[in-house]
Amino acid sequence: MLDNRKVLFSGMQATGNLTLGNYLGALKNWVSLSDEYDCFYCVVDEHSITVRQDPGVLRKRARALLTLYIGAGLDPEKNCLYYQSHVSAHAELAWILNCFTYMGELNRMTQFKDKAEKHSDNINAGLYTYPVLMAADILLFQSDIVPVGSDQKQHIEITRDIAERFNNLYGDVFTIPEPYFGKTGARIMSLQEPEKKMSKSDENPNASIYLMDSPDDVLRKCKRAVTDSIGEIRYCEEQPGLRNLIDIYGACMEKSPAEVEKEFAGKGYGDFKLAVAEAVNSVLRPLHEEVARLEKDKAYIDSVIKNNAERAAYAANKTLRKVQKKVGFPERVR
Ligand code: ATP
Ligand code: LTN
């Protein structure tokens, strides 16, 4: 790109339907940071196949996710929005970085442990080396910051460790990235089990609010959200369900937990849940309208996919070539 703004990279998997947690923990921050940085927002479809996918469904979801990026407010003229699988440098750098990552480091990754438990019939090597591909994503673009939800903290730390190890051996090849966790919404919890994060792969449909849920679905799920028998709207550890609803309301309405407590002092849970549903719907309504409009414009989305993949490949190949040279691969004959 033309200027010397700092670089931002982030990505989301095209698995399952996106939840409010993905929006408040990631996408919303992406939009607010997009003016300040030179941004690459990737649909990480290569990460998705670490868990078995139906090919047709994956293809559809990847496109829906890219459309959602634009619908949420990321301008594809200003931000590079693309599919990971369209830029072969991701997989190529991941291979090299695999050779600079220790099994001991990967053994410590909690996401691997969680996913291996969940998919015990398919504990594949890709699932195990998932963080190395993620490191390649980030390091390819010499990224300065990576906005993610707090569940990705460990993956950013291993990325930094791999980059530092490589730089110590070969000189300053990679920029060391910093994670960025938003002020609110960094960890939205399940509506049914508020000690677990809201996840798009949760089997209980009442546990998660999906970004494409209708206003009625949102209202029903908020009404059913697990709370407690204390009866006071307070932001504290002993009331995890309520605390989560306060986080959701606060993130949607741009208010701090203290402001929310004050606004609802003396009110009952029923009234508060209605207000949470309305706040969520006020965020989802414009998103639904924009996505519906974009879905009709197939040629436009196709042109974004093509142009942005070329832009991303150009930037990524610069780093890849440098790395290949550093590790001793023979130069290309022109
Ligand atoms: P899964 O639950 O299927 O593993 P996921 O919902 O975590 O997937 P990802 O594509 O892995 O989805 O994550 C996309 C982004 O959304 C990441 O930055 C992640 O940190 C963030 N994120 C996911 N769930 C939440 C949540 N409950 N609260 C806040 N941020 C979240
Ligand atoms: N593991 C991430 C998705 C992801 C990502 C990335 C996020 C893959 N590559 C690079 C930031 C930067 C997750 O959100 N679960």
Side-chain angles (χ1 to χ4, degrees):
M1 275 199 205
L2 303 171
D3 52 46
N4 33 19
R5 281 178 303 172
K6 289 193 165 186
V7 178
L8 179 158
F9 185 95
S10 200
M12 264 191 218
Q13 298 197 62
T15 42
N17 296 318
L18 252 64
T19 70
L20 190 66
N22 299 125
Y23 181 77
L24 297 177
L27 204 46
K28 186 167 180 270
N29 294 325
W30 295 7
V31 176
S32 63
L33 292 166
S34 65
D35 280 337
E36 209 182 317
Y37 291 88
D38 182 6
C39 303
F40 294 85
Y41 293 115
C42 187
V43 170
V44 293
D45 48 359
E46 291 175 334
H47 278 102
S48 299
I49 64 161
T50 54
V51 170
R52 203 65 74 224
Q53 305 290 335
D54 176 301
V57 174
L58 177 61
R59 204 168 291 123
K60 267 208 188 115
R61 281 185 173 151
R63 189 169 173 108
L65 184 53
L66 199 110
T67 308
L68 192 74
Y69 284 3
I70 307 172
L74 295 172
D75 179 350
E77 296 294 324
K78 297 194 187 133
N79 303 281
C80 190
L81 315 175
Y82 71 103
Y83 297 132
Q84 189 182 32
S85 62
H86 284 191
V87 177
S88 59
H90 286 269
E92 291 179 76
L93 182 62
W95 173 256
I96 297 174
L97 297 182
N98 264 320
C99 304
F100 293 85
T101 307
Y102 298 115
M103 292 182 61
E105 289 177 300
L106 294 175
N107 287 340
R108 288 198 290 273
M109 296 292 119
T110 54
Q111 181 175 298
F112 171 72
K113 288 181 204 161
D114 292 348
K115 295 220 168 172
E117 204 174 297
K118 225 175 190 172
H119 305 277
S120 54
D121 55 335
N122 179 22
I123 307 178
N124 61 72
L127 192 63
Y128 186 61
T129 60
Y130 175 115
V132 184
L133 179 58
M134 179 159 162
D137 299 342
I138 295 167
L139 300 177
L140 268 179
F141 295 92
Q142 305 292 351
S143 312
D144 296 284
I145 68 158
V146 186
V148 281
S150 59
D151 60 308
Q152 294 300 309
K153 193 164 177 257
Q154 229 188 1
H155 288 164
I156 308 291
E157 278 162 10
I158 194 174
T159 300
R160 290 167 58 90
D161 291 344
I162 296 169
E164 276 166 7
R165 182 170 308 137
F166 198 93
N167 284 355
N168 284 337
L169 286 164
Y170 300 107
D172 276 343
V173 177
F174 295 125
T175 302
I176 309 297
E178 296 283 342
Y180 174 96
F181 306 115
K183 283 179 215 80
T184 49
R187 203 167 162 80
I188 300 297
M189 311 310 277
S190 152
L191 297 180
Q192 292 299 314
E193 293 167 84
E195 47 295 318
K196 258 176 50 184
K197 79 161 188 168
M198 184 181 284
S199 160
K200 49 177 138 77
S201 43
D202 201 309
E203 269 145 34
N204 181 348
N206 290 323
S208 307
I209 293 177
Y210 298 105
L211 292 186
M212 289 300 144
D213 274 353
S214 70
D216 286 346
D217 289 335
V218 172
L219 180 62
R220 186 175 40 81
K221 290 179 186 182
C222 287
K223 279 186 180 166
R224 285 193 192 171
V226 169
T227 48
D228 52 65
S229 55
I230 298 174
E232 264 180 73
I233 297 176
R234 277 185 322 179
Y235 191 74
C236 60
E237 303 246 325
E238 299 75 59
Q239 293 172 263
L242 211 67
R243 189 179 142 119
N244 189 36
L245 291 177
I246 293 175
D247 274 334
I248 292 175
Y249 183 83
C252 291
M253 305 296 285
E254 312 278 355
K255 289 185 177 165
S256 70
E259 287 171 318
V260 182
E261 276 182 337
K262 211 163 147 200
E263 185 179 344
F264 291 93
K267 298 245 167 74
Y269 289 178
D271 284 347
F272 182 51
K273 285 177 169 181
L274 291 182
V276 174
E278 187 37 49
V280 172
N281 282 327
S282 73
V283 167
L284 299 191
R285 212 170 289 126
L287 199 69
H288 290 179
E289 286 167 10
E290 200 44 26
V291 166
R293 190 184 67 75
L294 287 163
E295 275 171 349
K296 289 191 198 121
D297 201 347
K298 187 173 177 300
Y300 172 67
I301 302 287
D302 284 347
S303 75
V304 167
I305 291 171
K306 181 168 181 290
N307 297 339
N308 282 340
E310 284 167 7
R311 245 163 87 191
Y314 181 79
N317 282 332
K318 269 209 241 174
T319 303
L320 180 66
R321 299 290 171 251
K322 199 164 165 187
V323 170
Q324 288 173 328
K325 197 167 166 192
K326 291 285 185 188
V327 298
F329 292 169
E331 286 202 35
R332 280 151 206 264
V333 179
R334 294 183 194 278

